[in-house]
Amino acid sequence: MRKTIYLLAFLLLVFSPVALAQDEAPPQLDVTQYELENGLKVILVEDHSAPTVAVNLRYNVGGANDADGLTGFAHLFEHMMFQGSAHITKGGHFEYLTEIGADTNAYTSRDQTTYYEALPSHYLPLALWMEADRMASLDVNAENLENQRAVVLEEYQQSYSNQPYTGINFALLTETFDYVPYQNLPIGRPEDIMSASLADVLAFHETYYVPNNATLIVAGDIDVEVAQDLIEEYFGAIPAGETPPQLPVYEASARTEERRVELQDAFANVPAVFIGYAIPPREDPDYTALEVLSLVLSFGNSSRFALNLQDTGEALFAGAFTDGNIGPSLFSIYALPGAGVSLEEIEQAMYDELAAILEEGVPAEELEKVINLTRSSRILSLETAADLAESTQDAVFYFDDPQAVYTEIDRLSEVTSEDIQRVITEYLTPERRSVFTATPGGDPPTALEDIEAEPLDTDTEVPPPAFVLEQSEPPEPLPITEFALPNITEKTLDNGLNVIVVEQPGLPVISLDLYLPGGDSATPADLAGLADLTATLLPKGTDSRSAAEIAQTIEQVGGFIGASSSRDSLTVGLLALQEDSELGFELLSDVVFNPTFPEDNFAVERDAYLSSIDLALSEPDSIASRTFFSTIYGTHPYGQNADRDSLEMISREDVIDFYQSQLSPEGALLFVVGDFTYDDVAAMVEQYFGEWPDTAAQPLTYEAPPVQTGQQIFLVNRPGSTQAQFAIGNVALMGNNPDRQSASVMNGVLGGTAASRLFLTVREELGYTYGIYSGVSFPADQGYFIVSGSAGNETAALALEEILNQLEVIRTDPVTDDELNLVKSGLIGSFALNLETYQSFIDTLASFKLRGLDIEELSNYLGAVEAVDGTAVTAAAQEVISLDDLVIVVVGDADALQAGLEEIAPVTLLEAE
């Protein structure tokens, strides 16, 4: 949980912190703002910290604009926008951007739909040209609509109907509101999606996808005058449309009694309670006070919910969040109860926390703490051009002011304890709340294949586009801004500790990460989960500080501390403002060298871990992953899965002994990142880590993975599943294998991107899936190859057959020059993007060191990729993919799937753990 605040995956936490010391004036974005004659709003944000740029185009249309009987239509149309335009073929958007290593996608919310690209800055003309081409001349036709209706249904099944807690989440996000436009979610109702007609699509496009209903943000390494000329060239002549219809004005309604909904969830293993309150729009000052309240309740390890509910074991998870909207916003508190705690008890416990604030207020130092936390978090949220563009887009969308990226923090800072007490009294009263509970049980959802699709009217006339860009070919790129790796200084202390200082000019924080080699790989086979439990307990107390004091000490100055375990390391990390560097070193060393692993915390965290396994076993992708790795790795450490038996065997003494066995400077890595040199921090490194006794590290041993005997399917029965979840693959290369770049290029051709063979065939051509990708891993020992994805029950066998066909083809048939060049160019182009955040850079360097590779290998990466040829790709496919001994894990309803799967390979039927 290093430097991360974890929330439930199905909830969205929206906050707007800022990176500056509290006594400084807010900085200003370097902004150029104007409007084209056709009404397109344009904001340019100049930032030359990296040779990257982001294009973010937002249309003012979302789920709230869906007409009755056409719910989900704004989201469906989001998919249609990737189906080609006058000068771009279907799939061409992904192909062009994959070739240059760009990141692209889109999303739909209640009030808007956003399309974005993040790419090397010299390719700015390409992104602008593509966005303009599809704004002006989208190819809307029956074939594309039929295909994307199927894809959206697969998305619905994968992300919603086949997951736990969907019902309670849907209820929270819709039934909390009396405002009619917000009573449907952007994903919509499946029956409406399947009844969408070509005429509906054409009308929707003409109404909402016009320049006078959009805002274009370009942020990053740009020349403003050049960007302006390009925008005028590509967007300037697109005709404006009629002013789109506006949503009804939101008027708050007064609830007179509590609304309560009790649901049963066939896929949930742990009960849950969500409580929602409709609150004012995000621009309203009262929203800001409620946002601060949510931070007081659940932001950080010293928050009230963390200390009083989670650390006591009363809650497995507990949180609070605000979700700001143009119309009514949402304030929610939620919890999954801990072992032996009822839903009624945990619900009351959350109300008690609100009541305590209402009675006693929030002390000034607590308000200062949450503001400091949000300030330092802004550093991370604005590191990339993509995040800068998205934050600016939100600032314009909600406040009509790009500088609200920063000035919104002033609103948070001005909130008083009295403001918080007032908004609790006004908005969070019992009669205004909507309470939703979910308990395990009940019937699974109806399979979506039972929904009949309305036949498309192929006679509907598709009018020609009103405007076609003159530029018919992709534009030439701008001059290249070279990417320079930061200065790295590597030193080994007398005790053997390897210290790596990474200079990041302009980053006003210090980041400390200590990696102890081993982690899960050093865990005894019968104590799976021991490394994870050890990491969780590390910051829970030292000889001189309690868990609360550790969290309070660092969070009061806007910092974070945490620990995590991975396959190859146990990691402790800390982030603080640079002015608090001394405190950071002192606190990290205290946690590393003086942990007490308190007995009370041990019992609570082990119980929470047990409950989290129940939670994981309710999710099909988690079941598939656990089954896949245990099957391909066997008794190899990478195949370990913590379960109830292993966790119940772990004692506090096991945790202490394990940590002491790992605590050696030999082979350990200390990364120090910030706006300084090694000499600037050398004294603190020596003071706090130089006296670490030079003890011998525990040697790591790896058992050989099992030899697979023939292609076989392991079908994990999950009754009621509407989809089959796949995990397909085998043990592959060692992490330091010299052919790893060839394997990466091969994976890019096969399934590594949205322009890969698997994506374009299984999703775009056949419509069997919402998402399908392949991957190769390069850990310290033996890595793996995997294809992951899902398909509806009725198409699962067909999807699997096509996947196996693609695996065969890439092993036997040469890749085309176009494919090879596309993937290689993409890997080279994405190099800067992948290292754009300091944490990504550190994780990459640590991966190299843990595999026994020199950091200098990073400088050779681009040349190694460029040297890969078609012969090497085919050889890598044959080396990486063991087609004859492939392990195929399928999680789904055995009654619906088994017969079809048995026609492909022998099936072993398993029950979920």
Side-chain angles (χ1 to χ4, degrees), residues 558-571:
F560 303 90
I561 190 169
S564 63
S565 178
S566 67
R567 282 194 169 100
D568 297 319
S569 67
L570 185 68
T571 308

Side-chain angles (χ1 to χ4, degrees), residues 449-684:
E449 59 263 29
D450 295 340
I451 299 174
E452 292 188 12
E454 292 286 340
L456 290 173
D457 182 3
T458 55
D459 294 331
T460 298
E461 183 178 353
V462 179
F467 178 78
V468 175
L469 298 186
E470 291 184 9
Q471 176 85 32
S472 61
E473 297 292 329
E476 292 295 318
L478 301 170
I480 295 176
T481 303
E482 295 292 343
F483 176 72
L485 293 173
N487 291 328
I488 302 172
T489 304
E490 190 171 0
K491 302 271 188 175
T492 302
L493 303 187
D494 291 343
N495 58 13
L497 175 64
N498 192 195
V499 181
I500 301 102
V501 173
V502 181
E503 298 176 31
Q504 291 280 35
L507 187 70
V509 299
I510 184 169
S511 171
L512 303 172
D513 289 284
L514 179 69
Y515 289 78
L516 301 173
D520 297 343
S521 295
T523 303
D526 59 342
L527 298 179
L530 176 58
D532 282 334
L533 191 55
T534 301
T536 301
L537 288 166
L538 255 180
K540 295 300 182 182
T542 67
D543 292 339
S544 59
R545 292 181 173 102
S546 67
E549 289 169 334
I550 291 170
Q552 180 70 28
T553 298
I554 191 64
E555 291 177 2
Q556 191 65 42
V557 296
F560 303 90
I561 190 169
S564 63
S565 178
S566 67
R567 282 194 169 100
D568 297 319
S569 67
L570 185 68
T571 308
V572 193
L574 179 143
L575 177 75
L577 292 173
Q578 189 167 326
E579 62 199 61
D580 298 309
S581 295
E582 182 86 26
L583 172 64
F585 270 100
E586 190 275 324
L587 185 59
L588 184 71
S589 65
D590 189 28
V591 168
V592 168
F593 298 126
N594 307 307
T596 55
F597 304 106
E599 185 71 51
D600 289 348
N601 292 99
F602 169 79
V604 168
E605 295 300 338
R606 189 176 65 171
D607 285 347
Y609 201 164
L610 287 165
S611 295
S612 72
I613 290 176
D614 292 337
L615 189 63
L617 292 177
S618 67
E619 300 166 347
D621 53 347
S622 178
I623 298 171
S625 176
R626 290 168 65 92
T627 307
F628 176 76
F629 289 121
S630 65
T631 302
I632 66 169
Y633 280 115
T635 56
H636 187 286
Y638 291 173
Q640 289 186 4
N641 286 321
D643 57 24
R644 286 194 164 272
D645 289 342
S646 67
L647 288 174
E648 287 172 353
M649 287 182 62
I650 296 174
S651 67
R652 175 174 173 268
E653 287 68 31
D654 291 325
V655 170
I656 295 171
D657 292 345
F658 175 76
Y659 184 66
Q660 289 302 316
S661 73
Q662 299 296 290
L663 190 61
S664 168
E666 180 184 334
L669 309 169
L670 176 63
F671 288 94
V672 186
V673 185
D675 190 0
F676 40 69
T677 67
Y678 185 92
D679 290 342
D680 294 332
V681 296
M684 285 186 286

Side-chain angles (χ1 to χ4, degrees), residues 395-406:
V396 174
F397 189 70
Y398 293 110
F399 301 102
D400 197 26
D401 178 12
Q403 299 299 345
V405 166
Y406 289 122

Side-chain angles (χ1 to χ4, degrees), residues 74 97 103 127-128 216 248 345 365 495 534 559 602 631 664 716 788 890:
L97 292 170
D103 179 27
L128 292 173
L216 174 66
E345 289 170 327
E365 61 270 20
N495 58 13
T534 301
F602 169 79
T631 302
S664 168
V716 184
S788 57
V890 182

